[in-house]
Amino acid sequence: MDWKCKHTWKRSANNTKWCLLGCSIGDFGTIFAFQMLAPEFNLWAVMILAIVNGLITSIALETVILMRQSFEFKTALETAFKMSFVSMVAMEVAMNITDIILVGGVLTWWAIPIMLTVGFLTPWPYNYYRLKKFGIECH
């Protein structure tokens, strides 16, 4: 395995960026909604729901991206799920653990960039590996 390929690092960074966007929409949206509407709700339940919603929005975004590349819906959905699920789970868990460690599970403006950075860096090597070894990408 060649870990020094700049081209693959760049492509895998782009793939990771799209995954991060999708995950962040569902994740941050869920945490923010509970902060505003039900702040007394159990932190761990909110974090689990945020992870699930982040996975759903990421798969949805990647499915749309693939459909814009002429994939049929079913194939796009299967491709988005199979190729990115491990990366998305790692990203989501890393982001939410960072949130809990930094601010106790409450979204704050200063913690969001740190969460996004950790969320990006955690799956990036895995995405590089998948791309380099199998030539597999979603974007």
Side-chain angles (χ1 to χ4, degrees), residues 38-99:
E40 71 286 348
F41 205 79
N42 180 280
L43 171 67
W44 296 105
V46 171
M47 289 299 153
I48 290 169
L49 187 57
I51 289 170
V52 170
N53 286 341
L55 295 172
I56 290 169
T57 55
S58 187
I59 290 170
L61 176 63
E62 291 185 28
T63 299
V64 168
I65 290 168
L66 289 167
M67 288 174 60
R68 294 185 75 193
Q69 296 173 13
S70 301
F71 280 67
E72 294 293 327
F73 172 75
K74 183 179 177 192
T75 306
L77 182 63
E78 288 173 355
T79 302
F81 185 80
K82 288 179 184 175
M83 291 196 298
S84 299
F85 196 71
V86 170
S87 176
M88 287 184 273
V89 169
M91 178 179 287
E92 282 291 330
V93 170
M95 286 172 55
N96 283 286
I97 288 172
T98 302
D99 185 24

